[in-house]
Amino acid sequence: IQDNDPDLDRLDQDFDSMVACYSAGGKQPRSIDVLHMYRGCLPEGSTRRKVYGIHMRVAQREKMIPHRADEVLAKIRKELRTFIWETRMQKVTRIEREFENLEQGRMSHADFRALWENKLQDLIESGIDMPTPDTLYRKYLQKLNSTLRNGVMQKEWRIDGFDQPPRAAKTHQDLARAVACYQEERADIYAAGDGGA
């Protein structure tokens, strides 16, 4: 995690999930190994890496390593939050602003959709009041680039599969599938014409 990213909760959640995956159905990693793995999450030269290093020096001097490594990691996690942090209000405001500022622009639809889904997870995990399905539909449509927005609005699409009748998109998930249908249609037209030769 870079020092300009205040979201240590996300880092710790991802790290704990990774450790749990290593532990699933096999030998549990030692506490000292987990402590050293956490170091890898903090870039060389970063403030957080320096804080980690300070606590490791103290832990070594006080003979806490390796037998009390889990206690050392808990102290490091707690101390990191006193160097770089954000309040709940700052976090909620940041996440809402990032969601509002998200635009497809020149990125691929796949990249845009992945960012969109990621920002929705940020909203959910932060306990922010979620927009209604209608609002999410409108926002997704507004954030698409004009080519895709115009393309999906021109007609109904086989959103539910090619063996199902076409219908209008009603949710942001439907819109994403409609974009996929539109892009497939454009690719087929291109392939069948001179461009596909």
Side-chain angles (χ1 to χ4, degrees):
I1 184 171
Q2 299 294 330
D3 283 343
N4 62 0
D5 184 351
D7 199 354
L8 272 173
D9 291 338
R10 168 87 60 79
L11 169 70
D12 285 348
Q13 180 182 9
D14 289 347
F15 181 80
D16 291 341
S17 177
M18 179 191 69
V19 171
C21 288
Y22 276 122
S23 306
K27 184 178 173 184
Q28 294 274 353
R30 299 175 306 163
S31 295
I32 188 67
D33 296 330
V34 174
L35 175 60
H36 287 298
M37 287 164 61
Y38 195 80
R39 177 179 184 262
C41 300
L42 311 172
E44 188 71 46
S46 67
T47 299
R48 289 179 173 128
R49 183 74 164 264
K50 291 171 186 168
V51 173
Y52 176 96
I54 292 166
H55 279 272
M56 287 297 288
R57 290 175 63 186
V58 172
Q60 289 162 355
R61 188 174 65 247
E62 296 180 356
K63 311 286 192 239
M64 298 175 73
I65 303 293
H67 305 297
R68 294 166 61 192
D70 53 348
E71 184 180 334
V72 174
L73 179 56
K75 288 177 76 172
I76 289 171
R77 284 179 159 186
K78 183 176 181 182
E79 190 68 13
L80 286 173
R81 284 165 168 75
T82 69
F83 280 80
I84 301 170
W85 74 94
E86 63 183 348
T87 65
R88 162 127 176 96
M89 177 65 76
Q90 289 172 320
K91 182 175 184 175
V92 167
T93 302
R94 173 180 58 80
I95 290 170
E96 287 179 329
R97 184 173 55 250
E98 289 172 355
F99 181 70
E100 288 302 322
N101 291 340
L102 176 62
E103 299 286 342
Q104 180 186 3
R106 299 180 71 174
M107 74 177 82
S108 71
H109 179 253
D111 286 340
F112 166 73
R113 186 177 177 192
L115 282 173
W116 166 273
E117 295 294 342
N118 191 50
K119 293 305 173 194
L120 286 185
Q121 290 305 309
D122 288 346
L123 292 173
I124 292 167
E125 290 171 5
S126 299
I128 296 172
D129 291 337
M130 288 297 292
T132 65
D134 284 346
T135 301
L136 288 175
Y137 169 89
R138 287 192 310 274
K139 286 189 177 295
Y140 195 93
L141 190 61
Q142 291 164 359
K143 292 172 183 298
L144 288 174
N145 67 38
S146 59
T147 300
L148 293 184
R149 185 171 50 249
N150 293 338
V152 297
M153 296 300 289
Q154 286 177 0
K155 65 178 187 178
E156 295 182 340
W157 299 93
R158 295 183 186 274
I159 294 168
D160 303 310
F162 289 104
D163 58 339
Q164 299 297 317
R167 67 175 177 84
K170 297 178 182 176
T171 66
H172 69 94
Q173 295 96 333
D174 287 350
L175 280 172
R177 287 191 286 273
V179 168
C181 292
Y182 169 76
Q183 290 178 321
E184 284 181 9
E185 180 181 90
R186 300 303 304 161
D188 286 347
I189 292 170
Y190 179 80
D194 292 338

